[in-house]
Amino acid sequence: DIQMTQSPSTLSASVGDRVTITCRASQNINIWLAWYQQKPGRAPKSLIFMASNLESGVPSRFSGSGSGTDFTLTISSLQPDDSATYYCQQYSTNSATFGQGTKVEIK
Amino acid sequence: EVQLVESGGDLAQPGRSLRLSCTASGFTFGDYAVNWVRQAPGKGLEWVGFIRSKTFYEITEYAASVLGRFTITRDDSKSIAYLQMDSLKTEDTAMYFCSRGPHRFCSGYSCHSDYWGQGTLVTVSS
């Protein structure tokens, strides 16, 4: 299986900060990467698909980039509602895999 | 409004079986793949498997951890997908989510999830 490694595992930032989460695949996954946001006790919510495509209804402060093995989720101006755990997922093979998650906290 | 509702979660003994259901509404169920993802208590997300639409022959894929024990099926006439879980192990204890996979954005091998249900809890314990 392809291993997905996210960094950092936890980050703390202030409202208005620019926040970047990275996701690295153990082999080339082209653009087949999604990002999800999950709040405690809730189902995940899709943010980004095909590495850089924003899901309908997702605020434009979220953006994704990358291809091959290295990917980034950026929140351009962190808001209180963005406190959550973020997961990347590769779906380039017939066995999709998730990263371990990045917890974003608001200072 | 797109909705997915899981049901069937319960307490089961190791070695026993459970069947989860995922009931969909608000869209043409037959046009989409269905993913199953689980989350053990306090842990991250784990992809379990998925089933393609009838257009793609309802072909299924599974994670190695459940292959041979879990089976995904679908009944498009009822807009329901099922996760049959046999030979349950304590490590199968988790919240199980079903989600919709839009074929037009899939890789050809698997799909991301654009809408998710709220999950159903499976506990495997003696």
Side-chain angles (χ1 to χ4, degrees):
Chain A
D1 286 358
I2 296 176
Q3 306 303 314
M4 305 301 292
T5 303
Q6 290 182 231
S7 61
S9 296
T10 307
L11 73 85
S12 182
S14 300
V15 172
D17 283 354
R18 182 181 182 89
V19 167
T20 299
I21 300 169
T22 63
C23 180
R24 175 163 288 175
S26 61
Q27 62 190 74
N28 184 5
I29 60 169
N30 199 340
I31 59 166
W32 305 112
L33 185 102
W35 289 97
Y36 303 95
Q37 175 193 66
Q38 188 181 32
K39 297 182 179 180
R42 304 287 297 275
K45 173 187 175 182
S46 181
L47 300 174
I48 303 282
F49 64 98
M50 289 171 62
S52 61
N53 291 270
L54 201 66
E55 290 279 11
S56 176
V58 173
S60 59
R61 64 179 180 275
F62 291 93
S63 63
S65 64
S67 66
T69 61
D70 293 312
F71 300 85
T72 299
L73 174 70
T74 299
I75 308 173
S76 61
S77 177
L78 190 67
Q79 299 301 303
D81 190 51
D82 300 336
S83 178
T85 300
Y86 293 83
Y87 294 92
C88 62
Q89 180 202 25
Q90 71 79 19
Y91 52 104
S92 71
T93 68
N94 58 8
S95 182
T97 47
F98 288 91
Q100 81 278 16
T102 295
K103 187 174 183 179
V104 174
E105 300 173 338
I106 309 295
K107 283 182 184 176
Chain B
E1 178 191 6
V2 172
Q3 284 196 320
L4 297 157
V5 178
E6 302 90 339
S7 59
D10 204 349
L11 171 64
Q13 292 182 324
R16 306 293 288 220
S17 298
L18 276 178
R19 188 178 78 161
L20 306 184
S21 298
C22 171
T23 303
S25 60
F27 64 100
T28 304
F29 180 74
D31 289 346
Y32 291 83
V34 176
N35 295 303
W36 285 94
V37 174
R38 68 185 180 183
Q39 187 168 36
K43 303 296 185 182
L45 301 173
E46 180 187 12
W47 180 82
V48 172
F50 89 117
I51 185 166
R52 296 171 174 84
S53 68
K54 188 179 295 293
T55 299
F56 296 92
Y57 310 106
E58 300 184 0
I59 294 173
T60 53
E61 308 286 358
Y62 300 95
S65 57
V66 306
L67 186 64
R69 299 188 300 121
F70 288 13
T71 303
I72 301 171
T73 57
R74 62 190 298 158
D75 184 340
D76 290 352
S77 69
K78 297 179 180 178
S79 297
I80 299 179
Y82 301 100
L83 177 64
Q84 176 68 40
M85 304 187 296
D86 298 323
S87 304
L88 282 164
K89 304 176 180 181
T90 55
E91 53 263 40
D92 294 322
T93 293
M95 182 70 77
Y96 283 74
F97 299 98
C98 69
S99 59
R100 191 180 81 165
H103 270 300
R104 63 182 175 139
F105 298 129
C106 296
S107 68
Y109 295 96
S110 55
C111 300
H112 87 289
S113 299
D114 61 357
Y115 286 90
W116 296 67
Q118 289 305 301
T120 188
L121 182 63
V122 172
T123 303
V124 183
S125 174
S126 55

